[in-house]
Amino acid sequence: MALYQEQSLKMYNSMTGEKEVFKPINEGTVGMYVCGPTVYSNVHLGNCRTFISFDLVFRYLKHLGYKVRYVRNITDAGHLENDADSGEDRIAKKARLEQIEPMEVVQRYTIDFHNILQKFNNLPPSIEPTATGHILEQIEIIKTIIEKGFAYEVNGSVYFDVKKFNETNHYGKLSGRDIDNMIANTRELAAQSDKKNPQDFALWKKAEPQHIMRWPSPWSDGFPGWHLECTVMSTKYLGEEFDIHGGGMDLKFPHHECEIAQGEAATGKNPVHYWLHANMLTLNGKKMAKSTGNNILPEEIFSGNNDVLDKPFSPNVTRFFMLQANYRSILDFSDEALKASEKGFNRLMDAYHAIDELPVSDKSSVDIKSWKQSCYDAMNDDFNSPILIAKLFDAVKMINNIKEEAATITSEDKDELQKTMSAFMFDVLGLLDKVSENNDTSDKLSSTIELLIKLRAEARNNKDFALSDQIRDQLQEMGIQLKDGKEGTTFTIKPA
């Protein structure tokens, strides 16, 4: 019997606003689609949290014995700057500013995306299709939507007719919006707009003369609307109806709402059975944004080369930190929180590695069977990783009690404890069974620099400013910048 037949998994469905028992369309197999990145810049930490969240979902479904087809797209064309069918293509703009080909931009940042997720120990998806690789399919689905009366062509561009669609369907059901209220609260269209209604969205845009990325179509040389690629790629690889669609909370409207409309208009079917949305990451209590400077890139965390953290943190610890909050909760990223996670991570790993040396007895005073089921109960409750981690720390207490002979365990239970901890720590949570050599080196380097900072502080207190300056200057020559502040001295390491 497969594990999924023994466990009852519930997941929070954004469409209904309730936790529902998961029943896949086809027993034993799961189709899951997650909206991937638009590859025009280095992947930011908020995106990473979303993909780590769905990596957890992917891992747990596989652990339960499901055969999972996980599709995550790469947007390499069609995503305009303001998501409202106007402005410049984000990738084309980057290419213009850097005077390189758009596909060079795509290649550079797709490689960065893969490298970062690999460092976080994310499993690759089963299929990773691109928007530009599915232009023909996008043209065909536009033809279908036009034939069914839900789209119209104006001056070489094609728009989805939201008002017409809403006569027989419900546009806005995922995000809880009412189209009449949307229309009432929308200003009139600008005279130059080709749309019938402000809520209509582009399925195909005629390319302006300066637009580099363009393809021939029955309507014009142009490019597909951003929302279309996900409808095309999800249905191509998972079918007209599939089990799970995931993405960031910010995509619920308009992106996912438009996906539903396109799918229902083209096929007459409800495309997705369970909608899952991951929440955002804040930095020191504020929204992350490049424009305000309240932002940090993954590589800056790993290297310590930033103004936010006192020291570098490994991808392993950063992943552990992110999993200490439920994927639907807002998570605040701070130096204090990461330091606490690092201590917890080390405690967990130390306890796991101590299991081999635990003494065994004829009887167990600990209930491993109940503890094991409590781990499953946590994950069965909408992938509740913080509760799972709390259960793993219950095991840490058990291990310490057995070490101190305050509890006993049989050889059979000891094996079950080790096997279960391994399954949930490494297979499900996706942690690595060791701190990487680089991170060991980073920790030793950090300790050495902290020692030199203390010696420099002592030299300054003794008015030995020559020695104080020598320590600072020589560290700077090695690429280590000291920064004196009210709360003491911190350091950053410049990348080699």
Side-chain angles (χ1 to χ4, degrees):
M1 183 183 282
L3 263 175
Y4 66 78
Q5 294 170 305
E6 300 171 12
Q7 303 294 333
S8 178
L9 170 63
K10 287 186 175 182
M11 55 183 74
Y12 183 87
N13 189 349
S14 300
M15 181 64 81
T16 61
E18 293 179 0
K19 289 180 187 175
E20 299 176 0
V21 174
F22 177 61
K23 291 181 180 175
I25 295 166
N26 299 304
E27 188 182 343
T29 64
V30 178
M32 180 168 81
Y33 186 91
V34 173
C35 292
T38 301
V39 282
Y40 70 101
S41 64
N42 296 107
V43 63
H44 66 74
L45 206 58
N47 279 150
C48 291
R49 188 202 177 188
T50 296
F51 299 127
I52 288 169
S53 296
F54 288 105
D55 184 60
L56 175 73
V57 172
F58 183 36
R59 284 172 174 274
Y60 189 57
L61 291 170
K62 282 166 67 76
H63 174 77
L64 290 178
Y66 286 111
K67 182 181 178 183
V68 187
R69 179 177 286 178
Y70 173 20
V71 181
R72 186 185 67 212
N73 70 305
I74 294 282
T75 297
D76 57 353
H79 194 168
L80 304 185
E81 286 180 291
N82 61 10
D83 296 347
D85 302 332
S86 62
E88 197 170 355
D89 184 291
R90 297 181 186 205
I91 291 162
K93 181 179 179 181
K94 187 80 170 181
R96 178 174 57 77
L97 292 173
E98 297 194 13
Q99 295 186 316
I100 57 176
E101 280 290 322
M103 283 301 134
E104 287 183 73
V105 174
V106 167
Q107 180 76 350
R108 178 191 302 170
Y109 294 114
T110 300
I111 289 169
D112 169 73
F113 174 66
H114 288 150
N115 286 344
I116 293 296
L117 289 195
Q118 191 172 24
K119 288 181 181 180
F120 277 125
N121 200 32
N122 271 29
L123 298 174
S126 317
I127 303 172
E128 194 171 45
T130 63
T132 56
H134 295 76
I135 299 294
L136 292 178
E137 291 90 338
Q138 292 182 75
I139 289 170
E140 288 305 310
I141 201 171
I142 293 171
K143 288 179 186 176
T144 301
I145 295 171
I146 291 172
E147 284 168 13
K148 298 207 172 176
F150 293 116
Y152 56 92
E153 183 264 334
V154 182
N155 297 327
S157 293
V158 180
Y159 296 96
F160 190 93
D161 192 335
V162 170
K163 210 168 177 182
K164 178 73 184 297
F165 174 78
N166 205 60
E167 290 172 7
T168 51
N169 301 70
H170 181 187
Y171 180 80
K173 60 186 174 183
L174 178 65
S175 56
R177 284 168 164 81
D178 179 78
I179 192 166
D180 292 330
N181 289 336
M182 283 193 273
I183 291 168
N185 294 322
T186 305
R187 286 180 291 181
E188 284 188 25
L189 284 165
Q192 69 270 23
S193 175
D194 290 330
K195 295 181 183 180
K196 289 181 182 176
N197 304 291
Q199 287 71 33
D200 296 351
F201 56 90
L203 299 177
W204 186 266
K205 286 285 284 180
K206 181 181 179 180
E208 297 298 325
Q210 69 273 18
H211 203 284
I212 312 169
M213 302 177 81
R214 57 172 67 215
W215 292 266
S217 80
W219 314 285
S220 65
D221 277 8
F223 54 94
W226 172 44
H227 309 302
L228 195 63
E229 64 179 276
C230 289
T231 296
V232 161
M233 292 187 272
S234 60
T235 53
K236 177 172 181 175
Y237 298 110
L238 299 174
E240 292 178 350
E241 291 184 82
F242 57 96
D243 299 301
I244 299 170
H245 194 316
M249 200 78 79
D250 57 321
L251 296 180
K252 194 185 280 190
F253 186 87
H255 185 54
H256 289 161
E257 207 70 76
C258 293
E259 276 191 63
I260 293 168
Q262 291 166 164
E264 290 183 357
T267 69
K269 296 175 184 175
N270 174 31
V272 178
H273 286 208
Y274 300 86
W275 283 93
L276 273 58
H277 289 95
N279 217 324
M280 63 187 229
L281 194 63
T282 57
L283 178 58
N284 292 323
K286 296 177 184 174
K287 186 179 178 181
M288 282 196 185
K290 289 178 188 175
S291 56
T292 61
N294 196 52
N295 185 51
I296 188 168
L297 293 172
E299 281 293 359
E300 294 171 338
I301 299 166
F302 311 152
S303 69
N305 187 31
N306 62 78
D307 297 325
V308 178
L309 307 172
D310 287 346
K311 52 169 279 190
F313 292 93
S314 72
N316 219 3
V317 166
T318 310
R319 181 185 178 98
F320 182 66
F321 159 75
M322 292 198 196
L323 293 171
Q324 286 182 291
N326 182 269
Y327 74 95
R328 288 191 292 117
S329 306
I330 292 174
L331 175 61
D332 189 51
F333 189 90
S334 69
D335 191 56
E336 295 74 21
L338 272 168
K339 283 176 180 172
S341 286
E342 186 173 55
K343 284 179 183 174
F345 174 83
N346 290 333
R347 271 182 60 217
L348 187 59
M349 287 295 166
D350 289 345
Y352 172 75
H353 289 126
I355 295 174
D356 276 334
E357 306 304 320
L358 290 181
V360 294
S361 305
D362 294 334
K363 290 183 179 178
S364 287
S365 63
V366 291
D367 188 346
I368 297 300
K369 187 178 179 183
S370 294
W371 167 79
K372 177 180 177 179
Q373 185 54 47
S374 73
C375 292
Y376 279 105
D377 291 343
M379 285 302 291
N380 290 338
D381 182 19
D382 194 31
F383 312 100
N384 206 328
S385 55
I387 300 297
L388 171 61
I389 289 168
K391 297 302 176 187
L392 292 172
F393 278 109
D394 287 345
V396 172
K397 289 176 197 168
M398 280 194 280
I399 292 163
N400 290 335
N401 285 337
I402 295 164
K403 275 168 70 177
E404 293 163 9
E405 299 183 351
T408 58
I409 193 167
T410 63
S411 178
E412 187 181 336
D413 278 351
K414 175 178 158 178
D415 289 345
E416 191 64 25
L417 172 65
Q418 190 170 43
K419 183 181 165 188
T420 305
M421 282 193 79
S422 174
F424 281 104
M425 288 166 62
F426 309 129
D427 298 343
V428 174
L429 292 177
L431 303 174
L432 290 170
D433 186 15
K434 59 186 171 74
V435 181
S436 68
E437 286 178 23
N438 285 344
N439 197 55
D440 279 341
T441 305
S442 293
D443 285 344
K444 287 169 186 170
L445 177 60
S446 295
S447 300
T448 305
I449 296 169
E450 294 289 354
L451 176 62
L452 287 168
I453 287 171
K454 281 182 185 176
L455 291 173
R456 178 172 172 261
E458 285 175 18
R460 292 172 79 180
N461 289 337
N462 295 331
K463 301 197 184 303
D464 189 350
F465 297 113
L467 178 58
S468 165
D469 290 347
Q470 185 183 2
I471 292 171
R472 181 199 63 207
D473 295 343
Q474 289 192 356
L475 283 172
Q476 190 163 357
E477 285 173 20
M478 290 185 276
I480 299 162
Q481 182 82 43
L482 299 186
K483 189 161 62 177
D484 296 317
K486 289 179 184 177
E487 296 179 6
T489 302
T490 59
F491 68 91
T492 56
I493 302 171
K494 293 179 181 175

